[in-house]
Amino acid sequence: MIGRYCKDHLGAILFYVFTIATFWLVAGLYAQYRSEIFYATCITLAVGIVLGIVDFLRYRQRMSYLEQLNAHAKIEECLEKLPETGNCEVQMYQELLQSLADSYRGYVSKEEEKYRDRSDYFMMWTHQIKTPIAAMHLLIDDEDVPEVKDQLFRIEEYVSVVMNYLKSDDISQDFVLAEYDLDPIIEEAVRHYSSIFIRKKLKLEFTHTNLKVTTDKKWFLFVIEQILSNALKYTETGSISISAEKGALVISDTGCGIAEEDLPRLFEKGYTGYNGHSNEHSSGLGLYLCHKVLHQLGHPITITSKVGAGTQVRIGLDLTGL
């Protein structure tokens, strides 16, 4: 702090030192006035030291206060709590900061309004698109066109992801936490993808957990559906298994697996990795949303995988009973 003070007041300190040196030089040149000059020098030195100590204490107090504001306060709080100063230059800097803060607030307000408008539009679009999707289901319900039904199912999946992504900014406000039986939630997710299991001729190995879990049913169901969707997407032969193990829900598949270098980034928004690049249907939002939802709910999620040997997803459970 002393070094910073000296640096900030270097001009005044040099002038003070120059003044004292001048007194001593004059005393050396005029011996008859040496005692008077020495007396004046002592007074100047004493006054300078006292004023320097007082100014340093005030400087230290101001700097400590500014450091606390910078570490803990928001920009609006900082501007409201800036220490008063009689320095005109510092006042001008504070006024400049206030002007920049006003401009920043105006910019943020406009961007938030644009974001709300976009969110409202896409939310309206996701609701409106459900009508033609439902109509298409009715039109092809009795037709033997599995590929068309499969593509329509994918459209519904994408719409669901978009809707939940739009809600995810304030996701905790949508939670309804309660104690639920885990098995019915899993069974509902499996039924949702039953047609895909049948079409791909994949075996489902579901071991009933007989567990109860404290969570939000709707969002926890969304997470299980997303994990099953990924498992079905990347598994062509073999099976998908669901079971409970050591306080966690475990969903495993015998699919193509995930490259080791992709594992650390699986939960990043928009990241698709090698499998995503090779599969044009990957959006990179599913696992990002799963991680975000589970983090808010307090359920840890981990993924282990090996290329060619399948993938295992573990979801930690807040168990409330057996």
Side-chain angles (χ1 to χ4, degrees), residues 150 153-154 157-158 161 193 196-197 199-200 202 225-237 240 253 255-257 272 275-276 278-287:
D150 187 37
F153 182 81
R154 289 182 181 276
E157 290 288 288
Y158 296 146
V161 170
Y193 290 100
I196 308 298
F197 274 99
R199 184 179 65 81
K200 300 187 76 170
L202 293 174
E225 288 180 345
Q226 285 301 302
I227 295 172
L228 282 178
S229 176
N230 282 344
L232 288 165
K233 187 185 300 181
Y234 297 111
T235 304
E236 296 301 326
T237 59
I240 294 174
D253 63 60
C256 60
T272 58
N275 288 342
S278 60
N279 188 319
E280 60 184 19
H281 301 300
S282 180
S283 65
L285 288 179
L287 287 178

Side-chain angles (χ1 to χ4, degrees), residues 25-40:
L25 178 63
V26 172
L29 294 175
Y30 300 95
Q32 63 273 28
Y33 300 114
R34 186 168 296 171
S35 60
E36 290 84 353
I37 295 175
F38 178 76
Y39 179 71

Side-chain angles (χ1 to χ4, degrees), residues 182 185-186 189 209 211-217 219-230 241-252 267 286-287 289-304 311-319:
L182 181 58
I185 300 177
I186 298 172
T209 64
L211 297 176
K212 294 181 181 294
V213 60
T214 299
T215 190
D216 178 275
K217 180 180 178 181
W219 283 103
F220 198 76
L221 174 62
F222 167 78
V223 169
I224 296 177
E225 288 180 345
Q226 285 301 302
I227 295 172
L228 282 178
S229 176
N230 282 344
S241 63
I242 305 173
S243 61
E245 180 183 316
K246 296 180 180 179
L249 177 64
V250 181
I251 302 176
S252 305
F267 301 123
L287 287 178
L289 286 175
C290 289
H291 182 263
K292 189 171 184 178
V293 169
L294 292 174
H295 177 73
Q296 293 284 341
L297 288 171
H299 300 303
I301 178 173
T302 57
I303 297 179
T304 56
T311 300
Q312 183 184 88
V313 180
R314 298 178 63 90
I315 301 174
L317 303 175
D318 181 13
L319 301 178

Side-chain angles (χ1 to χ4, degrees), residues 48-305:
I49 291 174
V50 171
L51 292 178
I53 292 174
V54 172
D55 189 57
F56 171 74
L57 292 175
R58 290 178 177 175
Y59 175 85
R60 186 176 65 177
Q61 184 180 18
R62 289 196 304 271
M63 292 300 293
S64 298
Y65 186 62
L66 288 173
E67 287 175 354
Q68 291 176 7
L69 286 179
N70 187 49
H72 303 292
K74 297 179 180 179
I75 185 170
E76 293 84 0
E77 296 175 355
C78 287
L79 292 172
E80 291 175 358
K81 297 179 181 179
L82 284 176
E84 296 183 2
T85 177
N87 190 308
C88 294
E89 183 180 3
V90 174
Q91 284 183 336
M92 290 186 67
Y93 276 117
Q94 291 183 357
E95 291 171 2
L96 177 61
L97 285 174
Q98 184 65 56
S99 177
L100 291 173
D102 292 339
S103 299
Y104 173 74
R105 281 193 289 265
Y107 170 78
V108 170
S109 178
K110 290 180 180 178
E111 289 301 310
E112 287 179 346
E113 184 176 356
K114 289 180 181 178
Y115 176 77
R116 285 193 299 269
D117 290 342
R118 285 194 296 266
S119 296
D120 291 343
Y121 170 77
F122 283 112
M123 188 63 73
M124 179 185 66
W125 178 85
T126 54
H127 285 289
Q128 289 178 336
I129 200 67
K130 289 182 177 181
T131 301
I133 290 175
M136 292 176 68
H137 270 299
L138 291 174
L139 290 172
I140 66 172
D141 193 39
D142 297 327
E143 302 292 331
D144 186 20
V145 281
E147 282 299 323
V148 175
K149 292 181 179 180
D150 187 37
Q151 294 304 319
L152 189 57
F153 182 81
R154 289 182 181 276
I155 293 174
E156 288 183 299
E157 290 288 288
Y158 296 146
V159 171
S160 175
V161 170
V162 170
M163 287 188 65
N164 286 294
Y165 175 71
L166 292 172
K167 296 177 183 178
S168 66
D169 283 339
D170 198 16
I171 194 172
S172 60
Q173 300 298 318
D174 194 44
F175 286 161
V176 180
L177 297 177
E179 180 183 285
Y180 297 98
D181 289 322
L182 181 58
D183 289 337
I185 300 177
I186 298 172
E187 290 167 357
E188 184 175 346
V190 170
R191 281 195 301 272
H192 184 71
Y193 290 100
S194 59
S195 61
I196 308 298
F197 274 99
I198 295 171
R199 184 179 65 81
K200 300 187 76 170
K201 299 180 181 179
L202 293 174
K203 181 181 179 182
L204 172 65
E205 298 176 352
F206 175 33
T207 303
H208 283 78
T209 64
N210 299 317
L211 297 176
K212 294 181 181 294
V213 60
T214 299
T215 190
D216 178 275
K217 180 180 178 181
K218 182 183 72 173
W219 283 103
F220 198 76
L221 174 62
F222 167 78
V223 169
I224 296 177
E225 288 180 345
Q226 285 301 302
I227 295 172
L228 282 178
S229 176
N230 282 344
L232 288 165
K233 187 185 300 181
Y234 297 111
T235 304
E236 296 301 326
T237 59
S239 64
I240 294 174
S241 63
I242 305 173
S243 61
E245 180 183 316
K246 296 180 180 179
L249 177 64
V250 181
I251 302 176
S252 305
D253 63 60
T254 57
C256 60
I258 302 170
E260 184 178 355
E261 60 270 20
D262 290 334
L263 288 173
R265 301 186 60 189
L266 286 179
F267 301 123
E268 293 181 13
K269 182 168 66 174
Y271 186 76
T272 58
Y274 175 80
N275 288 342
H277 289 301
S278 60
N279 188 319
E280 60 184 19
H281 301 300
S282 180
S283 65
L285 288 179
L287 287 178
Y288 163 75
L289 286 175
C290 289
H291 182 263
K292 189 171 184 178
V293 169
L294 292 174
H295 177 73
Q296 293 284 341
L297 288 171
H299 300 303
I301 178 173
T302 57
I303 297 179
T304 56
S305 184

